[in-house]
């Protein structure tokens, strides 16, 4: 496994995303396959509604494969309905559901707050309060690092204007059909890891097919005797992009 070193931690370059993986049986099967295949980063979110099932799976599978807690890099994300004064308690619930004493990284999932329009000026204050609650959780030792998701350059600059503990990672959509070079460059300037989601296309089937069945991708897959998904993941790795 390749690791991306940043500040005091090392982040596996490839992780298991658990969006749309719900129910204990499915979570167990997916996590089992992932751990056997060498995955050590598990990414979830409060809004995925699967933290408890993942926690039950970890409880069985980690002893089964003799994997220590510190070998797993566990990521979750603050839901849009858990901003500001709800943030800290939501982390405590995530800890309980996941069955762990700490979470390696917690991201703010989205810069907006549920129920507010995107241009509502209150979003800024909620974002700031949420970030400060993450810093409190970091100082209390229940999370080991802070990250962001779906933030633009403007949102990132806001964070760096008030944070006392800097974010170490930005997670955004990134693939050959959506190369967000400005965000990647910003992360490099700030010594942050840029991590992609939807490396194989979005959750929309048509978009995924467009990427996986792209003539360029399929030609490369044929040339190197690989699957299109392997070509896409390798492309991201060669750009030093986590996923």
């Amino acid at each position: 496994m390749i690791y991306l070193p940043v500040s005091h931690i090392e982040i596996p370059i490839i992780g298991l995303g658990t969006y749309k993986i719900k129910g204990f049986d499915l979570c167990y099967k997916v996590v089992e396959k992932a751990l056997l295949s060498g995955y050590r980063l598990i990414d979830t979110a409060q809004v995925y509604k699967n933290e408890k099932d993942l926690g039950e799976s970890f409880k069985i599978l980690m002893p089964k494969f003799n994997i220590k807690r510190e070998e797993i890099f566990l990521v979750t994300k603050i839901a849009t309905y858990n901003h500001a004064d709800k943030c800290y308690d939501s982390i405590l619930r995530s800890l309980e559901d996941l069955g762990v004493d700490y979470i390696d990284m917690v991201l703010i999932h989205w810069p907006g707050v549920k129920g507010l329009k995107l241009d509502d000026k209150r979003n800024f204050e909620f974002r700031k309060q949420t970030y400060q609650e993450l810093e409190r959780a970091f100082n209390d030792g229940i999370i080991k690092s802070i990250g962001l998701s779906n933030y633009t350059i403007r949102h990132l600059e806001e964070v760096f204007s008030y944070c006392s503990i800097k974010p170490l990672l930005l997670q955004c959509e990134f693939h050959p059909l959506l190369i967000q070079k400005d965000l990647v460059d910003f992360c490099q300037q700030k010594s942050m890891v840029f991590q992609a989601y939807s490396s194989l296309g979005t959750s929309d089937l048509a978009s995924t097919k467009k990427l996986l069945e792209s003539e360029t991708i399929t030609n490369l897959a044929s040339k190197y005797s690989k699957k299109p998904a392997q070509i896409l993941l390798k492309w991201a790795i060669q750009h030093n992009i986590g996923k």
Side-chain angles (χ1 to χ4, degrees):
M1 176 64 73
I2 300 172
Y3 288 81
L4 299 172
V6 56
S7 185
H8 60 288
I9 61 175
E10 289 188 329
I11 304 172
I13 196 167
I14 294 180
L16 172 70
T18 62
Y19 177 53
K20 290 192 175 181
I21 300 174
K22 293 183 180 180
F24 172 75
D25 289 344
L26 182 57
C27 282
Y28 182 91
K29 290 176 183 178
V30 171
V31 172
E32 182 179 39
K33 290 289 187 182
L35 294 177
L36 281 171
S37 299
Y39 282 79
R40 290 299 180 266
L41 186 156
I42 310 293
D43 176 286
T44 183
Q46 293 170 351
V47 76
Y48 296 172
K49 304 295 184 184
N50 61 11
E51 290 178 324
K52 194 171 185 65
D53 291 321
L54 288 171
E56 291 298 319
S57 300
F58 296 147
K59 191 184 301 182
I60 300 168
L61 291 169
M62 289 174 67
K64 178 179 178 179
F65 298 134
N66 196 28
I67 297 173
K68 298 177 181 178
R69 168 66 187 93
E70 56 268 26
E71 295 177 53
I72 299 295
F73 196 94
L74 190 56
V75 179
T76 194
K77 311 176 197 75
I78 302 299
T80 57
Y81 47 79
N82 282 330
H83 273 273
D85 59 354
K86 298 177 182 177
C87 176
Y88 195 94
D89 285 344
S90 78
I91 296 172
L92 295 179
R93 288 194 298 273
S94 290
L95 285 168
E96 182 178 359
D97 287 344
L98 291 165
V100 294
D101 296 324
Y102 67 91
I103 300 171
D104 296 275
M105 180 175 285
V106 176
L107 283 59
I108 298 177
H109 204 157
W110 193 262
V113 177
K114 185 177 182 180
L116 296 182
K117 293 182 178 180
L118 291 176
D119 60 354
D120 193 312
K121 294 182 179 179
R122 289 174 294 174
N123 280 313
F124 168 78
E125 191 57 40
F126 278 118
R127 282 195 297 272
K128 182 177 180 180
Q129 290 177 31
T130 302
Y131 198 90
Q132 290 171 337
E133 288 298 286
L134 290 178
E135 291 180 324
R136 175 186 164 203
F138 176 88
N139 288 327
D140 288 348
I142 60 174
I143 71 174
K144 298 300 183 182
S145 56
I146 300 172
L148 304 164
S149 181
N150 298 303
Y151 271 46
T152 66
I153 297 292
R154 175 175 66 84
H155 299 132
L156 291 166
E157 289 174 338
E158 284 177 2
V159 172
F160 278 93
S161 74
Y162 57 68
C163 69
S164 58
I165 300 166
K166 76 171 220 173
L168 299 186
L169 178 143
L170 173 66
Q171 186 185 98
C172 288
E173 184 176 351
F174 184 92
H175 47 69
L177 297 180
L178 184 62
I179 300 173
Q180 305 202 63
K181 188 176 183 301
D182 58 337
L183 290 174
V184 175
D185 289 346
F186 184 94
C187 287
Q188 290 176 345
Q189 292 166 13
K190 295 293 186 179
S191 299
M192 295 173 66
V193 167
F194 183 92
Q195 186 182 65
Y197 68 74
S198 296
S199 295
L200 308 182
T202 69
S203 57
D204 174 66
L205 182 59
S207 173
T208 300
K209 286 185 66 176
K210 183 178 180 181
L211 189 57
L212 289 174
E213 296 177 5
S214 156
E215 183 178 357
T216 300
I217 300 301
T218 55
N219 285 344
L220 286 169
S222 177
K223 178 180 178 179
Y224 294 105
S225 299
K226 301 294 182 182
K227 295 180 180 179
Q230 291 175 304
I231 296 295
L232 289 167
L233 292 176
K234 183 66 172 180
W235 176 83
I237 289 173
Q238 289 175 329
H239 284 78
N240 211 36
I241 301 294
K243 68 219 49 74

